[in-house]
Amino acid sequence: MRAPDGPLIVKGDVILAAENVSLGFGGVKALTDVSFDIQKGEIRAIIGPNGAGKTSMLNCINGFYHPTEGSITFKGQRRPRMRPSEAARGGIARTFQNVALFKGMTTLDNLMAGRSLKMSRGFVWQALRFGPAMREEVEHRKAVEEIIDFLEIQAIRRTPVGKLPYGLQKRVELGRALAMEPEVLLLDEPMAGMNLEEKEDMCRFILDVNQQFGTTIALIEHDMGVVMDLSDRVVVLEYGRKIADGTPAEVKRDERVIAAYLGQAHA
Amino acid sequence: MDLLYKIFVDPFVQMGAAPDLLVQTVWEGLVAGVLYSLIALGFVLIFTASGVFNFALGIMVVFAALTLVGLTEKGVPAYLALALTVGVMFVLAVAIERAVLRPLVNQPDIILFMATFGLTYFLIGLGEMIFGGSPKQMITDQLGLPRGAVDIPMLGGMVSLQKIDIAAAVIASLAVASLALFFQKTRIGRALRAVADSHKAALSVGISLNQIWIVVWFTAGIVALVTGIMWGARSEVSFALEIIALKALPVLILGGFTSVPGAIVGGLIIGIGEKLGEFYWGPLVGGGIESWLAYFIALGFLLVRPEGLFGDKLIERI
Ligand SMILES: Nc1ncnc2c1ncn2[C@@H]1O[C@H](COP(=O)(O)OP(=O)(O)O)[C@@H](O)[C@H]1O
Ligand SMILES: [Mg+2]
């Protein structure tokens, strides 16, 4: 799909690794000495109770936060302080726990904004909407239309996304991330606040993205059923520390996990 | 009763009695209005991209005009001076991004707003140091801008259009139209709207805030230059030109700080309303109402339509 700008990484190789990552905010330690890796092509779930540090981990991975200790290695390159634009350029896309869309813009424009990095024609061409810039716009429009078909959101193409119900907003947000044609997709509670039908749709999309496009996915999710069904491997965080790491079946049997997480009401 | 008559009836009787004067007044208001729209768009661009009310835009108008005139005084041909001034505005945009915006990122908006005050005084100082503080004449002829007037017999009278006003209206309209297109239709315009809606989402798709800031400050610099040339040609180039930025404030109150159509329509309403008010209602209060009439119109309008012209998240964003 795209030429990797690092060493060639094939399915099963480690594409991203967190090494002894700690993150502090003043007195609060959001993460303490967390290490785990993500293999190319897998769906890697990150679970844990509220406040365990899951979102903070994703924020470290895409460069919003910089680990106070430790580092993230992405495609063989160790980057202690990666900027969000570098992460995006390297092929990391994400969605947010509380939906961060461009509310005033249409679905189409949101997805087109997802292709910002892929458009290269100069400013003047752009302003004139002429020649190569026009061709480029058409080309990207085609790619975006494919994603719109894939996510079955044709009907809301031209709707300003702020007006959409929450479930659809989450779908558009996934679409925007897909428009980046990412190698690694970070999904922060993509099914939170959805009804059963919407959840099933979202599960199907996540699996399809993973299987059809070979996209590596890191998924934060509270619904244990979903996690067991979707993920290849699971890492469990509690109070900022990693307490378990393995296949869903292994993690499910782990006593610390049962104590910390599965025993809780919302699990 | 008499006062009510003078306010609500008499001005309209006058308008009907001398329609050519009415047209003349509306025309003058229109020319000023387009320039207000343009400068207001300069504010909207920067506010949209960085949430800052750029207090320095007025002085950027002066600085751009002074640079252009100052360069020609030193013997640089007019069009080369124009190109050089565009270059200076670009350098200014990069410098502001590096020295002001980047170090202050993640600071509260009020800090950035204060920083634009600092920028204002810096540019006043720099402008005076390089070009001196005395008023200058805009290089109207060298730039090929017309002088004189055309008189058009109309409605049983005569409407007189200054040629420079016609040029100003045309050029400013073109500038406004290109800005609106730039904002709505280009990739960079889309990125800019994206940044306005959500910083973190924009960052996550790889949009560079630093680049966007340079683009909007440079664009605002060009807006300042065009405004400075046209407004300067209609009067003179001095630090008093800064006033035009104050005229943009009521436009923004009316149209919203983030609305492109709001700035355009708001500018026209304020421009035309101001001239009509001055001409037909000004004598009632003994004149001298130019300084506050625009605010009066804006606030009066808000009483009728509190959501502003286009219902753009107006009040809470101020
Ligand atoms: N920007 C921040 N400033 C201060 N504390 C933060 C910040 N982000 C996260 N935290 C803290 O870090 C801890 C982990 O939060 P988070 O990563 O959001 O957990 P989770 O996503 O697992 O619910 C919480 O105690 C939270 O308050
Ligand atoms: Mg979270």
Side-chain angles (χ1 to χ4, degrees):
Chain A
M1 195 159 54
R2 73 201 323 273
D5 54 350
L8 186 66
I9 297 169
V10 297
K11 195 170 161 67
D13 287 355
V14 170
I15 186 167
L16 191 144
E19 283 141 23
N20 308 102
V21 168
S22 295
L23 176 71
F25 297 101
V28 185
K29 279 215 106 177
L31 293 169
T32 309
D33 201 23
V34 176
S35 302
F36 70 97
D37 60 25
I38 301 176
Q39 292 168 3
K40 177 142 182 88
E42 76 171 335
I43 298 184
R44 182 71 144 132
I46 303 174
I47 67 170
N50 275 323
K54 305 180 295 294
T55 298
S56 300
M57 194 67 232
L58 288 199
N59 284 339
C60 288
I61 292 177
N62 93 309
F64 278 158
Y65 295 164
H66 300 132
T68 27
E69 280 165 66
S71 63
I72 311 265
T73 302
F74 177 50
K75 291 197 283 188
Q77 271 182 300
R78 190 147 172 254
R79 294 211 183 96
R81 294 181 71 84
M82 180 157 52
R83 294 199 297 160
S85 57
E86 288 167 347
R89 213 166 294 130
I92 299 178
R94 70 171 292 176
T95 65
F96 295 87
Q97 187 168 350
N98 302 310
V99 185
L101 280 169
F102 308 127
K103 282 201 162 60
M105 298 171 20
T106 62
T107 300
L108 210 51
D109 267 351
N110 268 272
L111 268 57
M112 286 297 274
R115 296 188 74 79
S116 296
L117 282 176
K118 301 206 163 294
M119 303 196 186
S120 57
R121 289 296 164 189
F123 176 48
V124 178
W125 289 119
Q126 278 292 326
L128 296 175
R129 289 174 72 67
F130 184 67
M134 202 63 220
R135 263 200 305 284
E136 188 178 50
E137 183 90 5
V138 169
E139 209 175 278
H140 288 290
R141 188 53 205 281
K142 243 174 81 187
V144 159
E145 286 294 341
E146 276 168 25
I147 293 167
I148 286 178
D149 289 345
F150 173 77
L151 292 176
E152 298 155 19
I153 46 179
Q154 298 91 340
I156 55 166
R157 234 194 226 101
R158 304 208 176 266
T159 316
V161 295
K163 295 205 169 85
L164 295 172
Y166 189 70
L168 276 179
Q169 289 196 6
K170 293 219 113 168
R171 208 185 279 194
V172 173
E173 205 192 18
L174 174 63
R176 186 184 63 201
L178 290 179
M180 295 170 70
E181 295 178 22
E183 281 185 78
V184 177
L185 180 59
L186 313 174
L187 301 174
D188 196 346
E189 304 199 16
M191 283 160 253
M194 285 188 167
N195 64 35
L196 189 64
E197 196 192 331
E198 290 170 329
K199 274 189 187 181
E200 283 170 355
D201 284 341
M202 187 54 89
C203 280
R204 182 163 53 84
F205 293 136
I206 293 172
L207 275 176
D208 283 353
V209 168
N210 178 247
Q211 282 162 13
Q212 286 182 26
F213 309 138
T215 311
T216 309
I217 295 176
L219 167 76
I220 297 177
E221 183 48 52
H222 273 303
D223 187 322
M224 283 309 290
V226 167
V227 171
M228 297 300 148
D229 285 349
L230 288 186
S231 54
D232 297 303
R233 292 191 300 154
V234 186
V235 54
V236 189
L237 300 180
E238 185 193 25
Y239 298 119
R241 290 174 191 277
K242 183 171 97 169
I243 58 168
D245 191 346
T247 64
E250 285 165 5
V251 161
K252 211 171 173 177
R253 283 195 304 268
D254 191 292
E255 274 170 28
R256 288 181 71 187
V257 177
I258 294 168
Y261 188 75
L262 299 180
Q264 287 198 354
H266 70 259
Chain B
M1 266 321 284
D2 192 37
L3 185 64
L4 286 181
Y5 178 81
K6 276 185 177 159
I7 293 176
F8 291 107
V9 183
D10 192 39
F12 298 101
V13 173
Q14 286 181 36
M15 287 179 201
D20 55 328
L21 267 184
L22 177 62
V23 172
Q24 179 82 42
T25 313
V26 169
W27 161 251
E28 280 166 17
L30 186 75
V31 176
V34 184
L35 287 168
Y36 294 167
S37 300
L38 182 58
I39 198 81
L41 278 181
F43 282 104
V44 165
L45 272 176
I46 289 183
F47 192 89
T48 310
S50 46
V52 191
F53 180 78
N54 175 20
F55 187 78
L57 191 56
I59 204 67
M60 284 167 69
V61 172
V62 180
F63 190 79
L66 272 182
T67 307
L68 176 62
V69 176
L71 282 172
T72 34
E73 277 180 357
K74 294 197 166 55
V76 183
Y79 284 99
L80 181 59
L82 189 63
L84 286 177
T85 308
V86 170
V88 168
M89 297 321 275
F90 182 72
V91 171
L92 184 67
V94 174
I96 289 171
E97 194 274 324
R98 282 287 147 83
V100 181
L101 301 174
R102 197 178 286 189
L104 292 181
V105 67
N106 291 333
Q107 298 289 329
D109 290 347
I110 187 75
I111 304 276
L112 275 169
F113 176 56
M114 298 311 287
T116 67
F117 271 87
L119 186 62
T120 303
Y121 290 102
F122 174 76
L123 287 179
I124 291 178
L126 191 66
E128 282 191 353
M129 195 176 76
I130 304 176
F131 304 111
S134 54
K136 297 175 192 297
Q137 292 302 312
M138 179 43 70
I139 49 166
T140 312
D141 300 326
Q142 292 96 311
L143 286 174
L145 293 169
R147 282 186 192 278
V150 272
D151 295 326
I152 304 172
M154 188 190 280
L155 301 164
M158 190 72 91
V159 176
S160 170
L161 311 183
Q162 293 294 320
K163 285 184 187 163
I164 188 69
D165 282 357
I166 300 175
V170 170
I171 291 173
S173 304
L174 285 177
V176 165
S178 2
L179 276 181
L181 276 179
F182 165 65
F183 200 76
Q184 290 300 326
K185 298 287 181 193
T186 66
R187 168 176 62 99
I188 297 172
R190 184 159 52 214
L192 212 153
R193 284 179 288 138
V195 169
D197 274 348
S198 168
H199 270 201
K200 65 176 180 179
L203 285 173
S204 82
V205 296
I207 293 170
S208 153
L209 288 183
N210 308 76
Q211 257 178 32
I212 292 286
W213 286 337
I214 291 178
V215 168
V216 292
W217 281 80
F218 176 51
T219 313
I222 299 300
V223 164
L225 176 60
V226 175
T227 313
I229 293 174
M230 299 327 292
W231 205 266
R234 300 172 80 225
S235 53
E236 59 179 10
V237 179
S238 72
F239 282 90
L241 271 186
E242 199 191 357
I243 295 297
I244 180 138
L246 287 183
K247 295 286 188 184
L249 195 55
V251 174
L252 297 172
I253 293 174
L254 193 60
F257 279 72
T258 56
S259 166
V260 171
I264 297 173
V265 179
L268 296 180
I269 291 180
I270 297 286
I272 294 172
E274 203 178 40
K275 279 286 182 290
L276 287 177
E278 248 172 77
F279 193 76
Y280 290 101
W281 284 271
L284 285 176
V285 286
I289 63 176
E290 302 92 341
S291 51
W292 52 265
L293 186 61
Y295 290 88
F296 183 80
I297 296 170
L299 294 177
F301 196 93
L302 283 190
L303 284 181
V304 187
R305 239 185 104 80
E307 70 274 29
L309 267 179
F310 292 93
D312 207 52
K313 38 195 171 166
L314 171 70
I315 303 300
E316 66 271 36
R317 288 297 287 262
I318 292 180

